[in-house]
Amino acid sequence: MSSGCGGALTPRLFDVDLDRPRPLARPLPGNDSGRVLPAADLPYTVSRAEPETLLFEGRSVGCDCDWYLEVRWSSGGRSGSVRIDDGGRPFRTSAPAGGAAYAYDYALGSWRPAPAADS
């Protein structure tokens, strides 16, 4: 979603540092056609009238990780959690050899070095 096709909803960004002993999603500021979107305050609220797209990016510089995302939610008097994974299996993220990470650039149609993430 960082490049290529987009939709009417600009995603709110969350970074997950998989090298930490207990990885947690950290909100990051975003950008919508030049307009800066502030990082989301947690807990984060969405509504049917104001839907949001949330983009979580898991990254690592030192591990070969299996992981999933667990989102806790509440609505009225109900609450629970939902597991987000890869079709019933955990996501898999591996640290790049030599620290070189790549991302697919849809506009250019090729793999490019990924921008460095802030620690």
Side-chain angles (χ1 to χ4, degrees), residues 30-116:
N31 188 307
D32 183 12
S33 300
R35 190 183 91 218
V36 174
L37 298 174
D41 290 329
L42 297 175
Y44 190 68
T45 302
V46 296
S47 71
R48 187 177 301 170
E50 297 182 34
E52 291 281 349
T53 299
L54 307 178
L55 176 60
F56 294 86
E57 293 187 345
R59 63 181 172 83
S60 171
V61 295
C63 79
D64 184 16
C65 309
D66 289 335
W67 62 282
Y68 60 90
L69 183 68
E70 186 171 290
V71 177
R72 288 183 283 167
W73 60 269
S74 64
S75 176
R78 301 179 317 146
S79 64
S81 65
V82 62
R83 178 178 162 149
I84 300 170
D85 56 28
D86 187 14
R89 298 176 310 200
F91 296 111
R92 181 158 189 117
T93 301
S94 296
Y102 289 84
Y104 192 78
D105 186 323
Y106 290 95
L108 298 175
S110 63
W111 289 92
R112 299 287 202 205

